Amino acid sequence: MEMFSKLTNLFQQALETREPSVNLLDSFVEHWKGITNYYIETTDETRPVKQTDIPWRLKQMLDILVYEEGQQGLEETGPCMEYLLQHKLLETLCTLGKAQYPPGMNQQVLVFFSKILVQIQKPMLHIINVYRPVQKLVRLCGLLGSQTEKEEAQFLFVVCSRVKQDPYVLNYILEIKKENLFKRSISSSEDTENGRSEEAVPSSNPTASNPASTSSPQQHSPTDSPSTIFPANAGLIHVLVHLSRSQKKVALKAFESLLLLVSLPKEDTAVCLAESTPLCQLLAERLCELYSQLPATLEAADIHSFPQTHWSAPFSQNSMQESQSFPGSEHMERFFSWLDFLDHLMREAPKILAVKLAKEIHHCWLVGVLQPELLQMSEMGVLVNTALLCCSVRHIQSPAMLEELVSFLLGRHTQSEQRLDTESHVLRYQLIEHCDHISDEISITTLLLFEELLQKPHRDILFNLVLRNLENRCYVTHALGGGDDSRHFTDTDPVEENEELEEDPFFTDMYGVDEFNSSEQLLPRPQLMREPRCSGQTQAADIVNSSFLCLVPQEAKTSQHVQGARYETYVHDAHEQFKECTTLLLDWDWPESLKPTESSVSSSDFFEGHFLKVLFDRIGRILEQPYELNLQVTSVLSRLAVFPHPHLHEYLLDPYIILAPGARSLFSVLIRVIGELMQRIQLIPNFKEKLVHVRRQLMGLDGESGVDHMPLLKGVIILEEFCKELAAIAFVKLPDNNTNLSNTDTL
């Protein structure tokens, strides 16, 4: 027992006694010589490295280096570190790892490099005898059939983390020379200028500039993608993109490493990544590769219901819920998670890098792959690719990518549209025409695409589709004196159009007894007739009481027969939509009042634009179209009506404007529909009874039963609901809508 105590004391003293630095160096050199002697003395070349003392000796060397650093000052380098650098130990280890001798040596080298870069606190990657071995080891990663992908991914993540701490070493790791950086910058500037000039004059043949794009992406083989051709001596970027295809844990590390690289804050590092590396090209090509793997047999309904996919979703334990699983769902998850990852990269990256990546995606995927698919003749192909584009729009949030998406879909034209112009931007015109396609599925899907676009925070979307055609207000009749004669309201003059509507047999119930009693009107009729109209914006009370709510004749109304179907139910939803829209346009600099019309601009030249033309044509056929299609058309029009631009408000929600010859507004189109409805009602026996029954069916209150004229009856119901929705939108857009909204509880 006494002997045991003495031994314990001796060990304790040995631990408490600090070894002199010379002893540390001797120990460090001894362990290194132990490794090199193994190669001299061993005769068994098949013995795995884990059965030797090499891993233990490497660990001892690392511990010595870490301990030594802790004993040194901030600016000092210890003798062990000096020995490692002067004798190029890392270079030698890299060579041993490349030789894979003994078997498994590469794994040990990767682990050693990773740990030394993590545990040594002083900057190292700027030292030539460190960054050169690191470069060589990076080129050994990602090789075909590698058994060390886990260690490779960890090593690369550590390297990117050190670069994040010291961004100036990026050039060393990427092996970029200054003269190459200068040349690529000049080349990039020329490419950018050429790209801009090409965008200014879109080709009528989108596949001409990209012969490879004529084939369907669903027919491509994954091996056809340039990104899968792994170049010899590939650098850090190539390896990370390659590892992003691997198993979950490895791919996640690769994703995180790429995020570290692109989020480097310095502008010169962003320029370096954008102009002197294949980063943007490889990322865009990977997106094209994943898109090409999507099955052509996908169902549009499955695509539309596909949830928003975060880039880390495939790495979770249960990446796809069973309820969301369908044929092709795994491919969709991989594609949309990569798209979300790129979008996230662009939000995190400096602007110059984000713009470069967005332009590369524009060129490589949008123009090179997607555009030919959207313009093909196959209806099934158009349907699937439009649905995929719609889902992609929902995923895109970065300003840089949104800018390129808008340019791709709508172009950059700012002048008013011409009725016969179908060539200035072929894709835009074709997509709008697809809203009125012979295939109802294609029409619904394309309308969904535009609805998604209208929810994006980009002012050019609404301007391109609608506002540029309403700028000069050519839809209203000019007064003889050259002014605006769109309204004639004084204290002594009655509303001229009200008189016309009262004389119209289709509007005999305009102020009669119907479901909206006196307590539901915002203003009584006498007061409505006496008050002058406000200039610039129509009084919403007029619209609610005497226009949209009373537009549908009493014979075609069913709201009073079903609980919870009154006008007030739309007010809250309209208010939420209005708040959402106003948050989009905080910096859009829209006018607050109507622009005076110019006498030099002819009203006969007015064209509402192809987009509104198609929507008005569709709403004009609301009594004949399928229920689902009508829902989507009215949804898009409601979205447009919510935007608080004075011209858009006047054109869509003001029933009192005096239209120029040949012009039409939303209200005038609805009047024509009502006229057609009144004629058709006379030909259907028991119309009201059938109409109520169909409404109850749609609400799930009655069972299914055969009813004649089903499209017409469903169209009438949607027409009534649409008019109530427009009235609610007009109401909440009053300047004092908050006060009015608080009063709706008593309606």
Side-chain angles (χ1 to χ4, degrees):
M1 190 65 179
E2 183 179 355
M3 181 64 69
F4 180 75
S5 299
K6 289 181 179 180
L7 286 173
T8 303
N9 292 333
L10 287 173
F11 280 126
Q12 186 67 31
Q13 292 175 8
L15 289 173
E16 293 176 352
T17 302
R18 293 186 177 180
E19 244 186 297
S21 60
V22 63
N23 293 340
L24 281 178
L25 178 59
D26 289 345
S27 179
F28 186 82
V29 173
E30 179 187 350
H31 285 301
W32 176 244
K33 288 184 176 180
I35 293 174
T36 56
N37 287 337
Y38 173 83
Y39 290 91
I40 299 172
E41 299 170 357
T42 187
T43 56
D44 186 2
E45 297 182 357
T46 62
R47 186 182 183 187
V49 68
K50 290 185 177 181
Q51 296 180 12
T52 70
D53 64 350
I54 292 177
W56 175 78
R57 290 192 179 277
L58 288 173
K59 184 179 184 306
Q60 296 305 309
M61 291 170 64
L62 177 64
D63 290 343
I64 291 172
L65 290 171
V66 172
Y67 176 79
E68 179 186 69
E69 184 186 42
Q71 306 306 308
Q72 303 294 325
L74 293 176
E75 303 298 328
E76 298 178 7
T77 301
C80 296
M81 180 60 72
E82 289 283 2
Y83 184 89
L84 179 138
L85 296 175
Q86 291 178 5
H87 292 78
K88 300 182 180 181
L89 268 58
L90 296 179
E91 190 93 24
T92 304
L93 284 173
C94 189
T95 303
L96 296 176
K98 182 178 180 180
Q100 277 284 45
Y101 176 60
M105 186 61 183
N106 189 41
Q107 181 184 35
Q108 298 301 317
V109 173
L110 286 166
V111 171
F112 181 78
F113 271 62
S114 299
K115 289 183 176 180
I116 197 172
L117 290 174
V118 169
Q119 297 184 32
I120 298 299
Q121 302 302 310
K122 292 186 179 71
M124 295 182 63
L125 286 178
H126 65 288
I127 304 172
I128 188 170
N129 286 337
V130 176
Y131 71 73
R132 278 188 176 174
V134 168
Q135 290 172 351
K136 291 181 179 180
L137 195 57
V138 167
R139 292 196 292 268
L140 294 177
C141 297
L143 298 179
L144 187 65
S146 173
Q147 301 298 314
T148 57
E149 283 191 342
K150 181 180 177 182
E151 289 77 16
E152 292 169 14
Q154 179 63 31
F155 164 66
L156 296 174
F157 177 77
V158 170
V159 170
C160 293
S161 299
R162 291 304 293 253
V163 173
K164 178 80 171 179
Q165 295 174 12
D166 306 306
Y168 67 92
V169 303
L170 180 64
N171 286 352
Y172 298 116
I173 301 303
L174 298 179
E175 305 180 57
I176 297 172
K177 297 180 181 179
K178 290 185 178 180
E179 55 268 23
N180 292 341
L181 178 62
F182 177 72
K183 290 178 182 178
R184 292 200 182 197
S185 297
I186 295 176
S187 174
S188 175
S189 300
E190 292 174 351
D191 292 343
T192 303
E193 292 301 322
N194 292 336
R196 286 175 183 168
S197 62
E198 288 173 6
E199 287 176 4
V201 185
S203 170
S204 60
N205 182 9
T207 62
S209 61
N210 189 357
S213 67
T214 55
S215 58
S216 170
Q218 285 82 5
Q219 296 174 350
H220 290 173
S221 168
T223 58
D224 293 338
S225 172
S227 62
T228 61
I229 303 173
F230 205 57
N233 297 326
L236 178 65
I237 307 297
H238 278 95
V239 176
L240 287 176
V241 175
H242 172 75
L243 291 179
S244 69
R245 300 176 173 84
S246 301
Q247 57 180 331
K248 289 183 178 181
K249 291 183 178 179
V250 173
L252 179 58
K253 280 294 179 185
F255 276 60
E256 292 172 343
S257 300
L258 288 167
L259 275 173
L260 286 172
L261 280 182
V262 302
S263 60
L264 295 175
K266 288 192 174 183
E267 184 176 351
D268 55 347
T269 58
V271 172
C272 174
L273 287 170
E275 309 297 351
S276 302
T277 73
L279 173 65
C280 297
Q281 178 187 357
L282 292 175
L283 295 177
E285 287 174 351
R286 175 61 175 158
L287 185 70
C288 296
E289 179 186 344
L290 290 170
Y291 191 81
S292 71
Q293 295 173 8
L294 294 172
T297 55
L298 287 171
E299 295 289 338
D302 291 333
I303 299 173
H304 291 314
S305 62
F306 196 76
Q308 190 88 7
T309 306
H310 191 266
W311 65 266
S312 62
F315 309 121
S316 61
Q317 292 294 329
N318 299 312
S319 58
M320 284 292 295
Q321 301 291 334
E322 291 186 6
S323 59
Q324 299 169 352
S325 181
F326 53 86
S329 60
E330 291 184 1
H331 291 287
M332 281 191 63
E333 184 184 41
R334 283 196 292 269
F335 170 76
F336 284 112
S337 63
W338 184 258
L339 178 63
D340 184 73
F341 175 66
L342 298 188
D343 191 73
H344 186 74
L345 283 182
M346 286 180 277
R347 296 199 303 273
E348 295 291 324
K351 183 177 180 180
I352 188 171
L353 180 57
V355 169
K356 174 71 173 180
L357 178 55
K359 288 185 179 297
E360 194 67 42
I361 294 172
H362 184 166
H363 171 74
C364 188
W365 177 51
L366 294 178
V367 175
V369 174
L370 189 56
Q371 181 166 295
E373 298 298 323
L374 296 171
L375 298 176
Q376 65 177 298
M377 299 302 294
S378 167
E379 290 188 3
M380 181 59 68
V382 169
L383 176 62
V384 170
N385 285 277
T386 304
L388 289 169
L389 174 59
C390 182
C391 195
S392 300
V393 171
R394 193 162 66 242
H395 279 76
I396 292 173
Q397 300 178 27
S398 67
M401 192 62 232
L402 184 57
E403 181 72 29
E404 295 302 316
L405 180 70
V406 172
S407 174
F408 167 70
L409 292 175
L410 305 179
R412 302 185 186 276
H413 299 281
T414 58
Q415 301 298 319
S416 299
E417 294 180 68
Q418 300 299 315
R419 193 179 301 270
L420 300 180
D421 180 17
T422 62
E423 299 295 327
S424 61
H425 195 292
V426 175
L427 179 62
R428 177 187 185 276
Y429 177 76
Q430 287 297 328
L431 286 174
I432 292 175
E433 287 298 300
H434 286 172
C435 294
D436 201 6
H437 200 276
I438 190 173
S439 165
D440 293 334
E441 275 193 292
I442 291 179
S443 295
I444 292 172
T445 298
T446 312
L447 286 165
L448 274 169
L449 168 64
F450 282 106
E451 187 175 20
E452 287 289 347
L453 272 177
L454 290 170
Q455 296 178 44
K456 293 298 176 181
H458 197 296
R459 64 175 297 168
D460 289 353
I461 296 173
L462 195 62
F463 179 80
N464 184 288
L465 290 173
V466 179
L467 291 180
R468 59 174 166 150
N469 303 304
L470 307 181
E471 263 190 323
N472 295 320
R473 297 181 62 219
C474 294
Y475 48 86
V476 299
T477 299
H478 299 307
L480 295 177
D484 183 358
D485 193 34
S486 62
R487 295 180 172 84
H488 306 278
F489 301 108
T490 65
D491 288 331
T492 57
D493 295 333
V495 180
E496 293 181 7
E497 288 198 324
N498 272 355
E499 293 177 352
E500 294 174 5
L501 293 177
E502 287 185 273
E503 295 172 1
D504 194 319
F506 296 136
F507 294 88
T508 54
D509 67 334
M510 179 76 66
Y511 300 107
V513 178
D514 61 8
E515 64 165 308
F516 303 102
N517 55 40
S518 59
S519 65
E520 291 177 298
Q521 294 193 358
L522 301 180
L523 289 174
R525 182 176 177 241
Q527 181 183 355
L528 193 93
M529 297 293 291
R530 289 195 305 270
E531 286 196 352
R533 295 280 300 285
C534 290
S535 61
Q537 184 175 6
T538 304
Q539 284 285 354
D542 297 7
I543 300 172
V544 172
N545 286 333
S546 60
S547 301
F548 289 109
L549 283 183
C550 300
L551 188 58
V552 177
Q554 182 66 24
E555 297 93 320
K557 289 180 177 177
T558 55
S559 297
Q560 68 271 30
H561 299 285
V562 182
Q563 187 177 3
R566 295 163 66 87
Y567 149 75
E568 295 83 6
T569 58
Y570 285 98
V571 174
H572 176 74
D573 292 340
H575 184 59
E576 292 300 315
Q577 289 184 21
F578 181 70
K579 287 197 300 184
E580 179 186 340
C581 284
T582 52
T583 57
L584 294 180
L585 48 88
L586 292 177
D587 58 346
W588 288 7
D589 193 28
W590 276 356
E592 296 181 0
S593 59
L594 293 170
K595 174 183 177 181
T597 56
E598 301 176 9
S599 57
S600 60
V601 181
S602 173
S603 297
S604 61
D605 295 336
F606 175 69
F607 174 51
E608 64 264 34
H610 293 100
F611 187 57
L612 280 180
K613 176 185 179 298
V614 166
L615 292 178
F616 285 176
D617 290 346
R618 277 296 192 187
I619 208 70
R621 301 197 298 270
I622 194 171
L623 302 179
E624 306 164 4
Q625 296 170 156
Y627 179 74
E628 294 78 10
L629 178 56
N630 283 335
L631 283 177
Q632 194 55 51
V633 173
T634 55
S635 179
V636 174
L637 279 168
S638 299
R639 180 74 185 181
L640 288 174
V642 170
F643 284 101
H645 192 286
H647 296 172
L648 192 60
H649 177 89
E650 177 185 50
Y651 188 61
L652 294 181
L653 292 178
D654 189 347
Y656 299 109
I657 57 173
I658 301 178
L659 295 171
R664 58 178 180 170
S665 67
L666 178 57
F667 191 76
S668 70
V669 173
L670 291 174
I671 286 179
R672 289 182 178 274
V673 173
I674 296 299
E676 178 188 350
L677 171 63
M678 292 303 295
Q679 293 178 0
R680 296 179 66 173
I681 283 177
Q682 312 303 322
L683 305 177
I684 302 176
N686 303 320
F687 177 81
K688 190 64 172 282
E689 179 182 342
K690 294 178 180 178
L691 190 63
V692 173
H693 178 62
V694 171
R695 174 180 273 278
R696 292 180 61 83
Q697 277 187 346
L698 292 173
M699 298 180 69
L701 301 176
D702 285 353
E704 294 288 337
S705 61
V707 179
D708 296 334
H709 310 286
M710 187 65 80
L712 171 65
L713 296 172
K714 289 183 177 180
V716 173
I717 293 169
I718 290 183
L719 180 63
E720 180 186 0
E721 298 304 306
F722 182 49
C723 289
K724 290 191 293 185
E725 187 174 14
L726 292 175
I729 291 170
F731 175 68
V732 300
K733 289 172 74 175
L734 270 175
D736 56 345
N737 65 81
N738 289 329
T739 303
N740 288 325
L741 279 171
S742 64
N743 294 334
T744 57
D745 295 335
T746 61
L747 290 178

